Amino acid sequence: MSAAVPANTAAASTTDAALSPSSGILDVDYAKYLSKHDIVYNRPTTNPAWGLTVGNGRTGAMVWGQNGLTAQVSGVDLAEQSTYAAGLANLATTPAMDSGYTTFQQRLSLYDGTLTTKYDNNRTVTMLGSPDSEVMGIHVDDARTGVSAVSFELSMWDPATVTNVADVPNLTTWKTVSTFADASVAGLSRGQADPGGFGYTFAATVEGANYTTQVVNGTKVRVTLTPTSSYTIWFTASGRLNAPGHDSVAQARNQLAAVKATGYGSTLTSYRNWWHGFWQRSFVQYSNRAGDADYLENVYYLATYMIAAGGYGDYPFHFINGVFRSTGDNTKWSNGYWYWNQRDVYNSFLASNHVDLLSRFNNLYSRNATVLKAATSTRYGIDGLWVPETMGWDGNARGTVNSDFTKNILSTGYEAAFNMYLQYRYTNDSNYLRNTAYPFMRDVVKFYAAKLSLDTATNTYFMASSNAHETYWNVPNAITDLAAVRSLFPITIQTSQTLGLDANLRGQWQNILDHLVAYPSANGAYLPHKPPLTATKNGENVASELIWPYNVTGIGAPDYQTALNTWNQRPFPYGNVWANDAVQAARLGLGDQTFQGMRTMLQKYQNFPNGLTSNTNGVFEYLGVHLSALNEALLQSYNDKIRVFPAVPTDSTFVGKFTLLAKDGFLVSSEREAGEVKYVGVKSLYGKQARVVNPWGTQQVQVRRLSDNAIITTSSATEIAFATAAGTSYVVERTAKKLDSYTHVTLSGTANQDAKPLANTSSTLGISATNNPVVNDTQLTYDANWHAATGRGLGDFNDDVHHSETVGATAQYTFTGTGVDYLSERNGDMGNVDVYIDNAFQANVNLFVPGPRQSQQVVYTKTGLANGNHTIKIVNKTTSVGIVDALRIRS
């Protein structure tokens, strides 16, 4: 069941290093390195949920094979009240593009941002985008003779089925579709009367071939091309929001005309350059000999691509809907942005040096500050700022105040304010701090100051009643509120001093901070609120929020042991698709737990070979959690100290390398192989004071300026502080083993050519030319007497099984092949099962064995079947335990 070691897995070397003295960061051949993480389909998929994802930052397409190539197209700014998708695009030829071929490969190139589909050597379809626009393109090179027809259709789903699943003020306009076709463009529009300025036009034109356009019906238009060997179809999902006069039809026409005039070649070059520049802002390597760490690294780059491919709109990339869906107009929880969920999507982009992505999220809240202040005054009678946990695009709180889960959550304003402060700390944008971040921070602090109560007997401030997020309702001293005060008040006081503002308020704020009630705790761990604990309403590990993202404890903190106990005692480990346990493990310095946590999240939730999930509670959220966990495993600076490799696995074959951004604008680079940290490179962007935790304990180190090799300081302390100059690079190195003792190397890789499995799980990236022979237990059909069990840690494939203690309980699966292996556990509490093939009894299988439990045992094998469709049926025969772990199909 284990995967072979990937060819791109690097062997550890303690003799070379990749830090470039001239650039101050790692020397990487990004084109070759990223190519090893391309997602490759070596046979087509007709399953829309498995479609590959391509986007230009504002418009995205999810692509699969259906009557040629079909894509569901979405735009980030099209329909904020419900995230309705733009529609379907279909490219079809006669004879079919996907007929009469021997070899097939579809490749999502992360470095170039393109999706390329090749049929033999005579047909190539390349999907790309026009940077900084809503236009995408499909370029076709088709050398076949005898192609008689080419068509490109844009269509909508049945508008009559559109429902108000969210917060749509005018449903009629979203059920109204208008179509048009003229000599240059064909398209369709809807939402044209949306009062919020949303709605869009979905339109297409052609470059490089003669064509005609037509309206097929009320929801479909067609472009018919005269076949040529090379042509480009440009399409756009142009939103009304950013169109002059909210005229999305004119916007679509103008955008298509502009990209057509620029031409395919120039647009492709600009698009590639845009993605190349994006990737060169940071770098991570997270690898081991077994290859599962490499899989985690692959997901890191894929998730970064998917979020960035839809992350540059005027509004944030929604944690469920994003711009990549294949579910028509069906959507979930799109009436607003849940802060808890959205933060998971975005927070990793600080360390990866894409603060401009996080700013899209922050802008949602800062642009609505006036609305939020007015709502706070109306609801609470407070001159301050309360932020609803579930906030609409315009700052409305309807999704929050109508829900017992969210209506009394007070801490969201803190999270929004703190993320704005972090945007300043990573960009050094003093104007943003003065004009945007600090006013928001101040007003959130004012709100908390007014909401806290004073116990005059003890001179202690406390929170009388609020929600400890969604899990504990209307409780005293919610730990989220106490942590919000302890995190936000000090930095707001300091910022007010720096800016010379609100001196009259600082005394009150400091007094509250000095006399705030202690965190509730028991048995050496923090509690989510003052005991006795109330019943849980959701599955959140609320008390662990102190570790991340509230950032008030972690490695080296005075309360570290209490924080560790809190994490170890959390009630819902990896309990949902948004679980951030692995990020918190990293903040606690738990390297093996961080690694296993990331692995567990992918094993549980990465169900599709495109990297996506079948879980509808957070399609992109678990990917964002993965990004944060891996970043935090390699670099931490949340407490103003640069700490490298704080939470890497103890595996001696682990290889870690990175260039990531630390607070105050330090691009930090480091390498760790065979347990050895080689150096710490620090490139100062803004000339701030640097403080580096000595990764070698108390070994003597020196700080050397790379431009002239001047020694800045020498120290054997556990922390090294030194002044820096803007634009200057430094290296922290052991005096006993300096950087120049290593041979310089450029990091590179070899292009991936096949699917990749995550060993001993059902998770894969890509599709092989032949079917995966392993069928996880979750893919069988069971009657009501079977029960799923996950996360038992007993060595089962994918760490899950189905089990039954009911006589006659039946499980079955239809497969294509010549045989099948049935895998189960064997143990002393187990009974026996009957196995049938094509309804014919085959054998009674005894699962009982004395002694230790045995996992992943082949308990029955059938071979010699005629190659075709067959059904295996497994029937439990006793009241002892019967188990199904997996099947292995024989071709």
Side-chain angles (χ1 to χ4, degrees):
M1 291 291 179
S2 297
V5 177
N8 282 313
T9 300
S13 169
T14 56
T15 61
D16 58 38
L19 187 71
S20 168
S22 58
S23 68
I25 59 177
L26 293 184
D27 191 355
V28 182
D29 185 331
Y30 283 90
K32 290 183 178 179
Y33 192 91
L34 280 171
S35 72
K36 72 179 185 176
H37 293 316
D38 289 351
I39 308 303
V40 173
Y41 283 9
N42 281 325
R43 55 188 167 89
T45 179
T46 57
N47 185 346
W50 289 18
L52 285 175
T53 51
V54 58
N56 68 351
R58 297 174 64 188
T59 301
M62 198 163 172
V63 185
W64 63 94
Q66 179 179 316
N67 186 31
L69 285 178
T70 296
Q72 177 166 330
V73 180
S74 299
V76 70
D77 294 329
L78 302 188
E80 299 311 304
Q81 314 100 330
S82 198
T83 59
Y84 292 134
L88 291 174
N90 174 255
L91 170 67
T93 65
T94 305
M97 185 76 71
D98 51 355
S99 65
Y101 64 86
T102 302
T103 60
F104 170 94
Q105 188 175 88
Q106 191 171 58
R107 174 181 296 272
L108 175 59
S109 168
L110 300 179
Y111 183 62
D112 288 340
T114 55
L115 177 62
T116 303
T117 309
K118 291 186 177 182
Y119 310 85
D120 292 338
N121 292 320
N122 59 355
R123 281 156 283 174
T124 302
V125 181
T126 302
M127 292 193 68
L128 68 151
S130 173
D132 196 31
S133 81
E134 295 166 304
V135 178
M136 295 189 67
I138 302 176
H139 179 76
V140 179
D141 290 307
D142 189 348
R144 293 176 298 167
T145 58
V147 177
S148 60
V150 180
S151 68
F152 186 70
E153 291 184 346
L154 304 179
S155 62
M156 273 299 309
W157 306 273
D158 182 0
T161 64
V162 173
T163 58
N164 193 351
V165 295
D167 196 28
V168 180
N170 179 356
L171 186 62
T172 300
T173 191
W174 290 101
K175 298 177 73 169
T176 302
V177 180
S178 59
T179 55
F180 62 92
D182 56 33
S184 59
V185 177
L188 54 87
S189 303
R190 68 171 176 164
Q192 295 296 292
D194 182 82
F198 298 106
Y200 62 87
T201 295
F202 189 25
T205 190
V206 177
E207 174 192 345
N210 294 324
Y211 64 98
T212 60
T213 67
Q214 67 181 111
V215 172
V216 179
N217 56 42
T219 58
K220 182 185 293 186
V221 298
R222 179 182 299 139
V223 180
T224 302
L225 291 74
T226 301
T228 65
S229 61
S230 181
Y231 53 89
T232 307
I233 300 166
W234 298 107
F235 62 91
T236 181
S238 294
R240 293 178 63 230
L241 179 68
N242 299 311
H246 294 319
D247 187 345
S248 62
V249 176
Q251 180 83 335
R253 291 182 183 277
N254 292 337
Q255 288 194 21
L256 290 172
V259 73
K260 188 174 176 179
T262 301
Y264 164 70
S266 295
T267 301
L268 177 62
T269 297
S270 296
Y271 179 68
R272 285 173 170 166
N273 288 342
W274 185 81
W275 275 111
H276 298 173
F278 174 88
W279 292 117
Q280 289 164 8
R281 296 184 65 84
S282 59
F283 173 82
V284 302
Q285 180 179 346
Y286 190 89
S287 179
N288 67 355
R289 184 176 298 158
D292 45 0
D294 299 76
Y295 191 97
L296 304 185
E297 180 189 319
N298 204 145
V299 173
Y300 178 94
Y301 283 108
L302 175 61
T304 298
Y305 172 81
M306 279 196 282
I307 296 171
Y312 285 95
D314 201 48
Y315 285 89
F317 184 104
H318 194 270
F319 70 99
I320 288 182
N321 302 294
V323 297
F324 298 123
R325 290 186 290 130
S326 59
T327 55
D329 272 334
N330 296 320
T331 184
K332 183 177 182 180
W333 293 346
S334 51
N335 58 299
Y337 299 89
W338 272 253
Y339 203 97
W340 171 291
N341 310 78
Q342 289 292 148
R343 75 188 185 193
D344 289 342
V345 176
Y346 274 96
N347 279 4
S348 72
F349 290 102
L350 290 167
S352 61
N353 197 19
H354 299 293
V355 190
D356 52 340
L357 272 173
L358 178 72
S359 73
R360 310 293 169 132
F361 181 34
N362 285 344
N363 289 348
L364 175 69
Y365 296 88
S366 60
R367 72 157 65 102
N368 283 305
T370 300
V371 172
L372 294 171
K373 283 200 67 174
T376 304
S377 178
T378 299
R379 187 180 191 205
Y380 294 102
I382 292 173
D383 177 21
L385 201 156
W386 167 80
V387 175
E389 171 64 15
T390 305
M391 193 182 83
W393 64 274
D394 58 356
N396 79 74
R398 288 186 289 274
T400 287
V401 299
N402 294 323
S403 168
D404 288 333
F405 282 91
T406 57
K407 65 184 180 183
N408 289 326
I409 295 175
L410 307 182
S411 54
T412 307
Y414 152 72
E415 292 202 56
F418 185 65
N419 262 2
M420 291 179 199
Y421 174 72
L422 288 180
Q423 181 174 328
Y424 158 70
R425 287 295 299 271
Y426 278 80
T427 62
N428 201 37
D429 186 342
S430 57
N431 288 330
Y432 178 80
L433 177 67
R434 175 177 290 274
N435 300 324
T436 302
Y438 174 73
F440 203 98
M441 295 159 60
R442 176 198 61 212
D443 287 340
V444 171
V445 167
K446 289 170 67 177
F447 171 76
Y448 262 116
K451 282 294 290 180
L452 289 165
S453 300
L454 177 63
D455 181 344
T456 55
T458 61
N459 193 29
T460 302
Y461 287 91
F462 66 96
M463 183 61 69
S465 179
S466 66
N467 280 19
H469 215 260
E470 293 191 9
T471 299
Y472 307 92
W473 299 352
N474 305 313
V475 295
N477 286 338
I479 199 167
T480 43
D481 292 318
L482 303 183
V485 171
R486 287 195 167 93
S487 175
L488 188 60
F489 276 48
I491 59 177
T492 305
I493 292 169
Q494 179 186 21
T495 305
S496 75
Q497 292 172 329
T498 300
L499 298 176
L501 299 172
D502 300 314
N504 59 315
L505 298 176
R506 288 181 218 143
Q508 179 201 16
W509 297 344
Q510 188 64 54
N511 183 56
I512 291 172
L513 193 60
D514 291 341
H515 298 92
L516 186 66
V517 67
Y519 294 132
S521 64
N523 300 318
Y526 291 125
L527 298 177
H529 63 84
K530 180 181 177 180
L533 296 186
T534 63
T536 58
K537 308 294 186 178
N538 203 338
E540 303 163 338
N541 300 312
V542 175
S544 295
E545 293 280 288
L546 273 66
I547 305 164
W548 184 92
Y550 285 63
N551 302 319
V552 292
T553 188
I555 301 171
D559 63 344
Y560 173 83
Q561 187 60 52
T562 306
L564 177 61
N565 295 343
T566 304
W567 189 84
N568 284 330
Q569 297 174 29
R570 65 199 190 282
F572 305 106
Y574 306 105
N576 211 315
V577 71
W578 33 254
N580 47 44
D581 308 35
V583 191
Q584 294 161 352
R587 284 288 178 88
L588 293 169
L590 308 176
D592 289 329
Q593 293 91 327
T594 302
F595 170 77
Q596 290 298 337
M598 289 188 284
R599 204 178 187 283
T600 295
M601 288 294 286
L602 295 179
Q603 170 256 314
K604 294 182 71 170
Y605 301 115
Q606 191 242 305
N607 314 114
F608 299 146
N610 55 9
L612 294 176
T613 183
S614 61
N615 189 296
T616 60
N617 290 334
V619 175
F620 302 97
E621 190 174 356
Y622 79 107
L623 295 174
V625 169
H626 181 81
L627 297 178
S628 289
L630 202 148
N631 282 344
E632 294 289 338
L634 299 176
L635 172 71
Q636 293 177 18
S637 65
Y638 70 94
N639 60 355
D640 300 332
K641 300 175 183 179
I642 294 171
R643 190 185 301 269
V644 302
F645 302 111
V648 296
T650 53
D651 177 0
S652 62
T653 71
F654 173 78
V655 177
K657 305 180 182 186
F658 68 85
T659 293
L660 292 168
L661 186 65
K663 264 170 119 176
D664 290 332
F666 297 109
L667 272 173
V668 179
S669 302
S670 192
E671 301 179 61
R672 186 182 191 273
E673 300 187 69
E676 175 188 332
V677 177
K678 299 178 180 180
Y679 61 86
V680 181
V682 179
K683 182 174 184 176
S684 176
L685 302 182
Y686 310 122
K688 300 284 188 173
Q689 176 92 353
R691 181 175 293 275
V692 178
V693 175
N694 188 340
W696 306 284
T698 57
Q699 290 187 45
Q700 188 181 69
V701 301
Q702 64 183 23
V703 179
R704 177 166 55 89
R705 191 166 53 220
L706 290 175
S707 59
D708 60 0
N709 291 322
I711 305 302
I712 306 302
T713 187
T714 301
S715 174
S716 298
T718 57
E719 296 178 9
I720 305 98
F722 56 97
T724 71
T728 304
S729 299
Y730 307 82
V731 63
V732 181
E733 57 192 356
R734 290 165 290 178
T735 56
K737 193 170 184 180
K738 300 174 185 176
L739 177 63
D740 59 14
S741 68
Y742 297 94
T743 302
H744 182 76
V745 65
T746 299
L747 303 180
S748 188
T750 303
N752 177 43
Q753 299 296 339
D754 208 348
K756 298 179 182 179
L758 178 58
N760 208 36
T761 78
S762 61
S763 299
T764 63
L765 292 172
I767 301 176
S768 293
T770 57
N771 282 315
N772 182 354
V774 181
V775 175
N776 192 35
D777 65 286
T778 55
Q779 295 177 255
L780 278 71
T781 300
Y782 300 89
D783 64 22
N785 296 309
W786 290 86
H787 309 283
T790 63
R792 302 190 305 154
L794 298 177
D796 302 304
F797 179 73
N798 205 52
D799 200 21
D800 57 16
V801 297
H802 272 72
H803 63 92
S804 179
E805 298 176 7
T806 302
V807 176
T810 300
Q812 63 183 23
Y813 181 78
T814 299
F815 62 92
T816 301
T818 63
V820 61
D821 296 334
Y822 159 36
L823 284 79
S824 173
E825 292 180 9
R826 277 192 160 126
N827 194 37
D829 64 350
M830 300 183 67
N832 57 81
V833 299
D834 284 347
V835 178
Y836 295 78
I837 299 291
D838 298 334
N839 288 320
F841 174 77
Q842 302 294 311
N844 178 266
V845 177
N846 187 5
L847 303 178
F848 173 87
V849 65
R853 182 183 302 271
Q854 301 174 5
S855 60
Q856 291 196 49
Q857 299 298 297
V858 178
V859 297
Y860 171 79
T861 296
K862 179 68 174 181
T863 60
L865 296 172
N867 195 5
N869 291 335
H870 303 279
T871 299
I872 181 172
K873 182 166 64 176
I874 300 165
V875 181
N876 194 41
K877 298 300 291 182
T878 73
T879 56
S880 297
V881 179
I883 279 180
V884 176
D885 183 10
L887 305 174
R888 184 188 292 116
I889 309 304
R890 295 173 177 260
S891 58

